[in-house]
Amino acid sequence: MPRVELKNVGLNYHTIGGEVVALQDVNLAIEDQEFVAIVGRSGCGKSTLLSLVSGLLKPTRGLVTIDGEEVAGPNQRVGYMLQQDYLFEWRTILDNALLGLEIRKEKTPEAVAEVKDMLKAYGLAGFEHYYPPQLSGGMRQRVALIRTLATKPDVLLLDEPFSALDYQSRLSVGEDVVKILRERKKTVIMVTHDISEAVSMANRVVVMTPRPGKIRSQHRIDMCDEGLTPLQTREEPRFRQYFAVIWKELNADD
Ligand code: ADP
Ligand code: MG
């Protein structure tokens, strides 16, 4: 059984000006521990698709399931990470990382120890008592990821998670994030408009059409299946080939 499945999913937004068809006939099955990247132009419905998986939105048509169960609302199984890190400037790094646990009233000594271990393992040792403005963008994004992982979701949704970072940080945080998510055996859906980010990080790249968003094509990325890291993948001649094909598809239909 797929970890996440969308069957004939459609979503309409109701606005003063009428109905907007954001998604149409979306069929997608994502296996456990798969990293799927979704690329498409701005406004094609990428964030809408993640909102459906997270349970923040209900589909107008079709069905969204996690482990075969209908997604009926926001739930523990899913962690959501956004472009902005939403760290609270007045809380320390440790207290920010503990926020999700605190909200769920799960801040046990064991859980706190585990978060401290993650901060150490992921390059933030010694920064526990710093405040977010004292950290680089890349470090802040790692804190946001640890905060998301702390509540132990099986499925992670990443919505353009690196687009606020400069190019160098994007490369190094991308490398770290893939390492962390592979180690922790997470199932990931990442939305991006950056083709090279998608090809370098994912097992599979899903290309969407402009609005109304439909799935145009899907590409298996061998390098990720072979265990290469994003930076290693970018060095591969195959990387350029994937890029060229997907770029063409994204720019084909108007
Ligand atoms: P993407 O993330 O790919 O840029 P979105 O999923 O945010 O696209 O939006 C898809 C389409 O739906 C866009 O045309 C957007 O204007 C429209 N849309 C998004 N959210 C709403 C909303 N709350 N109400 C009305 N229209 C919306
Ligand atoms: Mg979006």
Side-chain angles (χ1 to χ4, degrees):
M1 184 193 293
R3 187 58 115 174
V4 180
E5 195 165 17
L6 289 88
K7 282 189 198 157
N8 306 317
V9 166
L11 186 112
N12 299 4
Y13 286 110
H14 302 275
T15 66
I16 299 170
E19 267 196 328
V20 175
V21 183
L23 290 175
Q24 211 168 52
D25 299 326
V26 173
N27 284 289
L28 187 62
I30 296 166
E31 299 305 319
D32 183 41
Q33 296 182 45
E34 198 179 8
F35 192 129
V36 171
I38 297 177
V39 297
R41 290 195 223 162
S42 183
C44 76
K46 302 182 297 298
S47 297
T48 301
L49 193 152
L50 293 190
S51 296
L52 288 167
V53 176
S54 76
L56 291 172
L57 284 178
K58 266 184 176 285
T60 312
R61 297 168 295 279
L63 186 66
V64 182
T65 59
I66 295 181
D67 295 335
E69 271 180 48
E70 181 173 2
V71 174
N75 65 87
Q76 296 258 135
R77 313 285 315 278
V78 178
Y80 210 151
M81 196 173 131
L82 303 159
Q83 175 181 342
Q84 279 170 296
D85 55 43
Y86 292 106
L87 298 182
F88 291 109
E89 314 278 288
W90 62 89
R91 295 183 72 133
T92 64
I93 294 310
L94 178 61
D95 286 340
N96 266 291
L98 291 170
L99 188 65
L101 289 168
E102 222 171 276
I103 291 170
R104 293 196 168 144
K105 306 203 188 316
E106 293 170 2
K107 203 175 121 183
T108 60
E110 298 78 43
V112 174
E114 210 172 318
V115 166
K116 285 183 174 168
D117 285 345
M118 276 200 273
L119 288 168
K120 281 203 191 80
Y122 302 141
L124 293 156
F127 290 96
E128 289 91 340
H129 303 293
Y130 281 55
Y131 289 86
Q134 298 172 288
L135 269 60
S136 70
M139 293 168 94
R140 292 176 60 127
Q141 230 13 0
R142 261 180 284 154
V143 177
L145 178 64
I146 292 167
R147 181 183 56 195
T148 308
L149 291 173
T151 55
K152 298 192 164 48
D154 298 312
V155 179
L156 262 100
L157 309 177
L158 311 179
D159 197 346
E160 314 224 1
F162 313 118
S163 47
L165 303 175
D166 64 75
Y167 184 69
Q168 295 299 328
S169 319
R170 284 171 88 133
L171 292 184
S172 70
V173 180
E175 190 80 356
D176 293 343
V177 165
V178 164
K179 181 169 165 271
I180 293 168
L181 296 177
R182 283 184 193 166
E183 269 171 19
R184 298 193 165 252
K185 304 186 187 302
K186 299 297 178 188
T187 305
V188 186
I189 310 177
M190 179 180 80
V191 151
T192 176
H193 53 247
D194 183 331
I195 302 171
S196 55
E197 196 163 273
V199 174
S200 68
M201 294 175 76
N203 298 100
R204 180 156 48 119
V205 177
V206 173
V207 182
M208 289 180 63
T209 64
R211 207 179 76 199
K214 296 182 193 170
I215 293 180
R216 183 193 160 93
S217 63
Q218 304 198 35
H219 303 268
R220 256 226 101 69
I221 310 295
D222 310 328
M223 295 87 93
C224 184
D225 292 346
E226 291 162 17
L228 299 191
T229 73
L231 287 174
Q232 288 168 339
T233 297
R234 285 173 188 266
E235 297 296 314
E236 289 282 310
R238 288 173 285 173
F239 177 75
R240 286 169 161 273
Q241 292 162 11
Y242 280 115
F243 185 98
V245 171
I246 294 169
W247 191 85
K248 236 183 178 168
E249 289 179 356
L250 274 178
N251 290 284
D253 35 23
D254 273 297

